[in-house]
PDB file of all heavy atoms in Angstrom:
ATOM      1  N   TYR G   1      73.532  65.702  92.318  1.00  0.00           N
ATOM      2  CA  TYR G   1      73.453  65.846  90.863  1.00  0.00           C
ATOM      3  C   TYR G   1      74.780  65.491  90.193  1.00  0.00           C
ATOM      4  O   TYR G   1      74.821  64.863  89.135  1.00  0.00           O
ATOM      5  CB  TYR G   1      73.031  67.282  90.521  1.00  0.00           C
ATOM      6  CG  TYR G   1      73.116  67.650  89.071  1.00  0.00           C
ATOM      7  CD1 TYR G   1      72.226  67.114  88.145  1.00  0.00           C
ATOM      8  CD2 TYR G   1      74.077  68.544  88.626  1.00  0.00           C
ATOM      9  CE1 TYR G   1      72.306  67.462  86.794  1.00  0.00           C
ATOM     10  CE2 TYR G   1      74.162  68.896  87.281  1.00  0.00           C
ATOM     11  CZ  TYR G   1      73.281  68.349  86.386  1.00  0.00           C
ATOM     12  OH  TYR G   1      73.357  68.678  85.063  1.00  0.00           O
ATOM     13  N   LYS G   2      75.902  65.886  90.807  1.00  0.00           N
ATOM     14  CA  LYS G   2      77.234  65.634  90.256  1.00  0.00           C
ATOM     15  C   LYS G   2      77.844  64.327  90.771  1.00  0.00           C
ATOM     16  O   LYS G   2      78.987  64.023  90.472  1.00  0.00           O
ATOM     17  CB  LYS G   2      78.180  66.796  90.587  1.00  0.00           C
ATOM     18  CG  LYS G   2      77.861  68.056  89.834  1.00  0.00           C
ATOM     19  CD  LYS G   2      78.121  67.873  88.356  1.00  0.00           C
ATOM     20  CE  LYS G   2      77.987  69.160  87.595  1.00  0.00           C
ATOM     21  NZ  LYS G   2      78.390  69.046  86.197  1.00  0.00           N
ATOM     22  N   ASP G   3      77.065  63.561  91.549  1.00  0.00           N
ATOM     23  CA  ASP G   3      77.518  62.298  92.123  1.00  0.00           C
ATOM     24  C   ASP G   3      78.777  62.468  92.981  1.00  0.00           C
ATOM     25  O   ASP G   3      79.712  61.677  92.916  1.00  0.00           O
ATOM     26  CB  ASP G   3      77.749  61.250  91.028  1.00  0.00           C
ATOM     27  CG  ASP G   3      77.753  59.840  91.587  1.00  0.00           C
ATOM     28  OD1 ASP G   3      77.093  59.609  92.615  1.00  0.00           O
ATOM     29  OD2 ASP G   3      78.444  58.973  91.015  1.00  0.00           O
ATOM     30  N   ILE G   4      78.788  63.540  93.776  1.00  0.00           N
ATOM     31  CA  ILE G   4      79.870  63.795  94.720  1.00  0.00           C
ATOM     32  C   ILE G   4      79.417  63.265  96.072  1.00  0.00           C
ATOM     33  O   ILE G   4      78.407  63.717  96.616  1.00  0.00           O
ATOM     34  CB  ILE G   4      80.183  65.308  94.831  1.00  0.00           C
ATOM     35  CG1 ILE G   4      80.605  65.856  93.466  1.00  0.00           C
ATOM     36  CG2 ILE G   4      81.247  65.556  95.891  1.00  0.00           C
ATOM     37  CD1 ILE G   4      80.682  67.366  93.410  1.00  0.00           C
ATOM     38  N   GLN G   5      80.128  62.288  96.575  1.00  0.00           N
ATOM     39  CA  GLN G   5      79.778  61.669  97.850  1.00  0.00           C
ATOM     40  C   GLN G   5      80.274  62.528  99.011  1.00  0.00           C
ATOM     41  O   GLN G   5      81.412  62.989  99.000  1.00  0.00           O
ATOM     42  CB  GLN G   5      80.408  60.278  97.943  1.00  0.00           C
ATOM     43  CG  GLN G   5      80.001  59.340  96.823  1.00  0.00           C
ATOM     44  CD  GLN G   5      78.508  59.062  96.802  1.00  0.00           C
ATOM     45  OE1 GLN G   5      77.902  58.788  97.827  1.00  0.00           O
ATOM     46  NE2 GLN G   5      77.902  59.142  95.625  1.00  0.00           N
ATOM     47  N   ILE G   6      79.423  62.722 100.005  1.00  0.00           N
ATOM     48  CA  ILE G   6      79.801  63.413 101.239  1.00  0.00           C
ATOM     49  C   ILE G   6      79.834  62.374 102.347  1.00  0.00           C
ATOM     50  O   ILE G   6      78.853  61.648 102.549  1.00  0.00           O
ATOM     51  CB  ILE G   6      78.801  64.537 101.591  1.00  0.00           C
ATOM     52  CG1 ILE G   6      78.717  65.565 100.465  1.00  0.00           C
ATOM     53  CG2 ILE G   6      79.212  65.214 102.899  1.00  0.00           C
ATOM     54  CD1 ILE G   6      77.652  66.629 100.661  1.00  0.00           C
ATOM     55  N   ASP G   7      80.952  62.295 103.037  1.00  0.00           N
ATOM     56  CA  ASP G   7      81.117  61.343 104.134  1.00  0.00           C
ATOM     57  C   ASP G   7      80.030  61.601 105.183  1.00  0.00           C
ATOM     58  O   ASP G   7      79.924  62.694 105.725  1.00  0.00           O
ATOM     59  CB  ASP G   7      82.508  61.514 104.743  1.00  0.00           C
ATOM     60  CG  ASP G   7      82.829  60.508 105.820  1.00  0.00           C
ATOM     61  OD1 ASP G   7      81.925  59.760 106.259  1.00  0.00           O
ATOM     62  OD2 ASP G   7      84.000  60.473 106.231  1.00  0.00           O
ATOM     63  N   LYS G   8      79.233  60.595 105.447  1.00  0.00           N
ATOM     64  CA  LYS G   8      78.119  60.743 106.398  1.00  0.00           C
ATOM     65  C   LYS G   8      78.601  61.100 107.805  1.00  0.00           C
ATOM     66  O   LYS G   8      77.856  61.678 108.588  1.00  0.00           O
ATOM     67  CB  LYS G   8      77.290  59.463 106.426  1.00  0.00           C
ATOM     68  CG  LYS G   8      76.517  59.235 105.129  1.00  0.00           C
ATOM     69  CD  LYS G   8      75.641  58.016 105.214  1.00  0.00           C
ATOM     70  CE  LYS G   8      74.859  57.683 103.988  1.00  0.00           C
ATOM     71  NZ  LYS G   8      75.020  58.408 102.786  1.00  0.00           N
ATOM     72  N   LYS G   9      79.856  60.782 108.125  1.00  0.00           N
ATOM     73  CA  LYS G   9      80.397  61.081 109.458  1.00  0.00           C
ATOM     74  C   LYS G   9      80.574  62.575 109.694  1.00  0.00           C
ATOM     75  O   LYS G   9      80.679  63.002 110.830  1.00  0.00           O
ATOM     76  CB  LYS G   9      81.738  60.371 109.656  1.00  0.00           C
ATOM     77  CG  LYS G   9      81.611  58.869 109.763  1.00  0.00           C
ATOM     78  CD  LYS G   9      82.969  58.256 110.037  1.00  0.00           C
ATOM     79  CE  LYS G   9      83.264  57.283 108.925  1.00  0.00           C
ATOM     80  NZ  LYS G   9      84.627  56.869 108.832  1.00  0.00           N
ATOM     81  N   ILE G  10      80.620  63.370 108.616  1.00  0.00           N
ATOM     82  CA  ILE G  10      80.814  64.810 108.810  1.00  0.00           C
ATOM     83  C   ILE G  10      79.507  65.593 108.697  1.00  0.00           C
ATOM     84  O   ILE G  10      79.499  66.808 108.854  1.00  0.00           O
ATOM     85  CB  ILE G  10      81.880  65.377 107.851  1.00  0.00           C
ATOM     86  CG1 ILE G  10      81.447  65.290 106.382  1.00  0.00           C
ATOM     87  CG2 ILE G  10      83.227  64.699 108.076  1.00  0.00           C
ATOM     88  CD1 ILE G  10      82.358  66.033 105.416  1.00  0.00           C
ATOM     89  N   ILE G  11      78.408  64.897 108.445  1.00  0.00           N
ATOM     90  CA  ILE G  11      77.099  65.553 108.368  1.00  0.00           C
ATOM     91  C   ILE G  11      76.427  65.468 109.731  1.00  0.00           C
ATOM     92  O   ILE G  11      76.300  64.388 110.304  1.00  0.00           O
ATOM     93  CB  ILE G  11      76.209  64.899 107.298  1.00  0.00           C
ATOM     94  CG1 ILE G  11      76.846  65.032 105.915  1.00  0.00           C
ATOM     95  CG2 ILE G  11      74.817  65.523 107.301  1.00  0.00           C
ATOM     96  CD1 ILE G  11      76.122  64.291 104.820  1.00  0.00           C
ATOM     97  N   THR G  12      76.023  66.617 110.262  1.00  0.00           N
ATOM     98  CA  THR G  12      75.331  66.661 111.551  1.00  0.00           C
ATOM     99  C   THR G  12      73.974  67.337 111.352  1.00  0.00           C
ATOM    100  O   THR G  12      73.685  67.847 110.269  1.00  0.00           O
ATOM    101  CB  THR G  12      76.140  67.457 112.599  1.00  0.00           C
ATOM    102  OG1 THR G  12      76.071  68.857 112.269  1.00  0.00           O
ATOM    103  CG2 THR G  12      77.592  67.012 112.647  1.00  0.00           C
ATOM    104  N   ASP G  13      73.183  67.386 112.401  1.00  0.00           N
ATOM    105  CA  ASP G  13      71.899  68.076 112.300  1.00  0.00           C
ATOM    106  C   ASP G  13      72.066  69.591 112.173  1.00  0.00           C
ATOM    107  O   ASP G  13      71.153  70.289 111.773  1.00  0.00           O
ATOM    108  CB  ASP G  13      70.994  67.725 113.481  1.00  0.00           C
ATOM    109  CG  ASP G  13      71.601  68.067 114.823  1.00  0.00           C
ATOM    110  OD1 ASP G  13      72.830  68.231 114.915  1.00  0.00           O
ATOM    111  OD2 ASP G  13      70.834  68.178 115.796  1.00  0.00           O
ATOM    112  N   LYS G  14      73.262  70.110 112.492  1.00  0.00           N
ATOM    113  CA  LYS G  14      73.517  71.545 112.390  1.00  0.00           C
ATOM    114  C   LYS G  14      74.247  71.937 111.118  1.00  0.00           C
ATOM    115  O   LYS G  14      74.381  73.108 110.817  1.00  0.00           O
ATOM    116  CB  LYS G  14      74.318  72.020 113.594  1.00  0.00           C
ATOM    117  CG  LYS G  14      73.536  71.912 114.885  1.00  0.00           C
ATOM    118  CD  LYS G  14      74.335  72.444 116.033  1.00  0.00           C
ATOM    119  CE  LYS G  14      73.542  72.322 117.323  1.00  0.00           C
ATOM    120  NZ  LYS G  14      74.276  72.868 118.447  1.00  0.00           N
ATOM    121  N   GLY G  15      74.765  70.943 110.366  1.00  0.00           N
ATOM    122  CA  GLY G  15      75.489  71.248 109.139  1.00  0.00           C
ATOM    123  C   GLY G  15      76.596  70.252 108.866  1.00  0.00           C
ATOM    124  O   GLY G  15      76.543  69.112 109.325  1.00  0.00           O
ATOM    125  N   ILE G  16      77.623  70.704 108.138  1.00  0.00           N
ATOM    126  CA  ILE G  16      78.747  69.857 107.746  1.00  0.00           C
ATOM    127  C   ILE G  16      79.986  70.272 108.530  1.00  0.00           C
ATOM    128  O   ILE G  16      80.341  71.455 108.564  1.00  0.00           O
ATOM    129  CB  ILE G  16      79.025  69.974 106.236  1.00  0.00           C
ATOM    130  CG1 ILE G  16      77.817  69.504 105.421  1.00  0.00           C
ATOM    131  CG2 ILE G  16      80.263  69.159 105.847  1.00  0.00           C
ATOM    132  CD1 ILE G  16      77.971  69.702 103.930  1.00  0.00           C
ATOM    133  N   LEU G  17      80.649  69.290 109.132  1.00  0.00           N
ATOM    134  CA  LEU G  17      81.903  69.552 109.835  1.00  0.00           C
ATOM    135  C   LEU G  17      82.995  69.793 108.800  1.00  0.00           C
ATOM    136  O   LEU G  17      83.143  69.035 107.850  1.00  0.00           O
ATOM    137  CB  LEU G  17      82.270  68.378 110.734  1.00  0.00           C
ATOM    138  CG  LEU G  17      81.262  68.079 111.851  1.00  0.00           C
ATOM    139  CD1 LEU G  17      81.635  66.790 112.564  1.00  0.00           C
ATOM    140  CD2 LEU G  17      81.181  69.237 112.827  1.00  0.00           C
ATOM    141  N   VAL G  18      83.773  70.857 109.004  1.00  0.00           N
ATOM    142  CA  VAL G  18      84.732  71.322 108.010  1.00  0.00           C
ATOM    143  C   VAL G  18      86.136  71.366 108.602  1.00  0.00           C
ATOM    144  O   VAL G  18      86.311  71.604 109.791  1.00  0.00           O
ATOM    145  CB  VAL G  18      84.317  72.730 107.514  1.00  0.00           C
ATOM    146  CG1 VAL G  18      85.356  73.343 106.613  1.00  0.00           C
ATOM    147  CG2 VAL G  18      82.974  72.681 106.813  1.00  0.00           C
ATOM    148  N   GLY G  19      87.128  71.161 107.736  1.00  0.00           N
ATOM    149  CA  GLY G  19      88.530  71.268 108.112  1.00  0.00           C
ATOM    150  C   GLY G  19      89.106  69.945 108.583  1.00  0.00           C
ATOM    151  O   GLY G  19      88.381  69.004 108.891  1.00  0.00           O
ATOM    152  N   ALA G  20      90.419  69.878 108.633  1.00  0.00           N
ATOM    153  CA  ALA G  20      91.099  68.652 109.045  1.00  0.00           C
ATOM    154  C   ALA G  20      90.777  68.284 110.487  1.00  0.00           C
ATOM    155  O   ALA G  20      90.648  67.114 110.832  1.00  0.00           O
ATOM    156  CB  ALA G  20      92.603  68.804 108.867  1.00  0.00           C
ATOM    157  N   GLU G  21      90.625  69.288 111.336  1.00  0.00           N
ATOM    158  CA  GLU G  21      90.328  69.048 112.753  1.00  0.00           C
ATOM    159  C   GLU G  21      88.833  68.963 113.035  1.00  0.00           C
ATOM    160  O   GLU G  21      88.431  68.683 114.168  1.00  0.00           O
ATOM    161  CB  GLU G  21      90.945  70.156 113.615  1.00  0.00           C
ATOM    162  CG  GLU G  21      92.437  70.333 113.436  1.00  0.00           C
ATOM    163  CD  GLU G  21      93.205  69.087 113.829  1.00  0.00           C
ATOM    164  OE1 GLU G  21      92.846  68.447 114.833  1.00  0.00           O
ATOM    165  OE2 GLU G  21      94.181  68.751 113.121  1.00  0.00           O
ATOM    166  N   ARG G  22      88.007  69.246 112.020  1.00  0.00           N
ATOM    167  CA  ARG G  22      86.546  69.236 112.166  1.00  0.00           C
ATOM    168  C   ARG G  22      86.103  70.150 113.308  1.00  0.00           C
ATOM    169  O   ARG G  22      85.196  69.840 114.068  1.00  0.00           O
ATOM    170  CB  ARG G  22      86.006  67.817 112.379  1.00  0.00           C
ATOM    171  CG  ARG G  22      86.383  66.844 111.299  1.00  0.00           C
ATOM    172  CD  ARG G  22      85.753  67.225 109.989  1.00  0.00           C
ATOM    173  NE  ARG G  22      86.107  66.229 108.965  1.00  0.00           N
ATOM    174  CZ  ARG G  22      86.226  66.514 107.690  1.00  0.00           C
ATOM    175  NH1 ARG G  22      86.020  67.734 107.260  1.00  0.00           N
ATOM    176  NH2 ARG G  22      86.558  65.598 106.828  1.00  0.00           N
ATOM    177  N   ASP G  23      86.762  71.314 113.394  1.00  0.00           N
ATOM    178  CA  ASP G  23      86.470  72.248 114.475  1.00  0.00           C
ATOM    179  C   ASP G  23      85.583  73.415 114.042  1.00  0.00           C
ATOM    180  O   ASP G  23      85.375  74.353 114.783  1.00  0.00           O
ATOM    181  CB  ASP G  23      87.764  72.767 115.095  1.00  0.00           C
ATOM    182  CG  ASP G  23      88.687  73.430 114.086  1.00  0.00           C
ATOM    183  OD1 ASP G  23      88.389  73.391 112.875  1.00  0.00           O
ATOM    184  OD2 ASP G  23      89.715  73.986 114.516  1.00  0.00           O
ATOM    185  N   CYS G  24      85.059  73.328 112.821  1.00  0.00           N
ATOM    186  CA  CYS G  24      84.113  74.330 112.330  1.00  0.00           C
ATOM    187  C   CYS G  24      82.944  73.608 111.688  1.00  0.00           C
ATOM    188  O   CYS G  24      83.050  72.461 111.264  1.00  0.00           O
ATOM    189  CB  CYS G  24      84.772  75.243 111.292  1.00  0.00           C
ATOM    190  SG  CYS G  24      86.019  76.324 111.986  1.00  0.00           S
ATOM    191  N   ILE G  25      81.826  74.303 111.631  1.00  0.00           N
ATOM    192  CA  ILE G  25      80.640  73.719 111.012  1.00  0.00           C
ATOM    193  C   ILE G  25      80.086  74.705 109.993  1.00  0.00           C
ATOM    194  O   ILE G  25      79.986  75.909 110.244  1.00  0.00           O
ATOM    195  CB  ILE G  25      79.581  73.336 112.069  1.00  0.00           C
ATOM    196  CG1 ILE G  25      78.501  72.474 111.448  1.00  0.00           C
ATOM    197  CG2 ILE G  25      79.006  74.539 112.774  1.00  0.00           C
ATOM    198  CD1 ILE G  25      77.716  71.674 112.454  1.00  0.00           C
ATOM    199  N   LEU G  26      79.774  74.174 108.808  1.00  0.00           N
ATOM    200  CA  LEU G  26      79.120  74.940 107.761  1.00  0.00           C
ATOM    201  C   LEU G  26      77.626  74.748 107.953  1.00  0.00           C
ATOM    202  O   LEU G  26      77.103  73.656 107.757  1.00  0.00           O
ATOM    203  CB  LEU G  26      79.567  74.439 106.382  1.00  0.00           C
ATOM    204  CG  LEU G  26      79.013  75.172 105.173  1.00  0.00           C
ATOM    205  CD1 LEU G  26      79.551  76.603 105.124  1.00  0.00           C
ATOM    206  CD2 LEU G  26      79.370  74.422 103.897  1.00  0.00           C
ATOM    207  N   GLY G  27      76.952  75.799 108.399  1.00  0.00           N
ATOM    208  CA  GLY G  27      75.538  75.716 108.751  1.00  0.00           C
ATOM    209  C   GLY G  27      74.610  75.809 107.557  1.00  0.00           C
ATOM    210  O   GLY G  27      75.029  76.047 106.419  1.00  0.00           O
ATOM    211  N   ASN G  28      73.320  75.642 107.819  1.00  0.00           N
ATOM    212  CA  ASN G  28      72.307  75.682 106.781  1.00  0.00           C
ATOM    213  C   ASN G  28      72.333  76.993 105.995  1.00  0.00           C
ATOM    214  O   ASN G  28      72.035  77.017 104.805  1.00  0.00           O
ATOM    215  CB  ASN G  28      70.909  75.458 107.367  1.00  0.00           C
ATOM    216  CG  ASN G  28      69.854  75.369 106.280  1.00  0.00           C
ATOM    217  OD1 ASN G  28      69.978  74.576 105.355  1.00  0.00           O
ATOM    218  ND2 ASN G  28      68.832  76.206 106.374  1.00  0.00           N
ATOM    219  N   ASP G  29      72.702  78.083 106.642  1.00  0.00           N
ATOM    220  CA  ASP G  29      72.756  79.377 105.967  1.00  0.00           C
ATOM    221  C   ASP G  29      74.094  79.604 105.263  1.00  0.00           C
ATOM    222  O   ASP G  29      74.359  80.686 104.754  1.00  0.00           O
ATOM    223  CB  ASP G  29      72.471  80.512 106.945  1.00  0.00           C
ATOM    224  CG  ASP G  29      73.516  80.607 108.046  1.00  0.00           C
ATOM    225  OD1 ASP G  29      74.418  79.734 108.128  1.00  0.00           O
ATOM    226  OD2 ASP G  29      73.444  81.575 108.828  1.00  0.00           O
ATOM    227  N   LEU G  30      74.975  78.580 105.244  1.00  0.00           N
ATOM    228  CA  LEU G  30      76.283  78.598 104.580  1.00  0.00           C
ATOM    229  C   LEU G  30      77.287  79.522 105.238  1.00  0.00           C
ATOM    230  O   LEU G  30      78.250  79.969 104.609  1.00  0.00           O
ATOM    231  CB  LEU G  30      76.139  78.900 103.090  1.00  0.00           C
ATOM    232  CG  LEU G  30      75.311  77.899 102.299  1.00  0.00           C
ATOM    233  CD1 LEU G  30      75.140  78.354 100.861  1.00  0.00           C
ATOM    234  CD2 LEU G  30      75.957  76.508 102.341  1.00  0.00           C
ATOM    235  N   THR G  31      77.091  79.826 106.515  1.00  0.00           N
ATOM    236  CA  THR G  31      78.115  80.532 107.267  1.00  0.00           C
ATOM    237  C   THR G  31      78.931  79.487 108.038  1.00  0.00           C
ATOM    238  O   THR G  31      78.430  78.407 108.370  1.00  0.00           O
ATOM    239  CB  THR G  31      77.534  81.569 108.248  1.00  0.00           C
ATOM    240  OG1 THR G  31      76.636  80.921 109.132  1.00  0.00           O
ATOM    241  CG2 THR G  31      76.831  82.691 107.504  1.00  0.00           C
TER     242      THR G  31
END
């Protein structure tokens, strides 16, 4: 809606990879 692009490389089937090291995942339940 806000035209904010999310890098497809950080989107997985389990959620979004977070942080500089991509060592955490933001899951569907937002934990």
Side-chain angles (χ1 to χ4, degrees):
Y1 171 71
K2 289 293 187 173
D3 199 28
I4 300 169
Q5 302 298 314
I6 301 174
D7 184 350
K8 291 184 181 5
K9 291 183 238 165
I10 65 171
I11 298 174
T12 72
D13 58 340
K14 294 183 180 182
I16 298 175
L17 298 173
V18 173
E21 304 298 320
R22 304 295 182 210
D23 57 354
C24 291
I25 192 160
L26 182 67
N28 185 54
D29 63 355
L30 299 175
T31 57

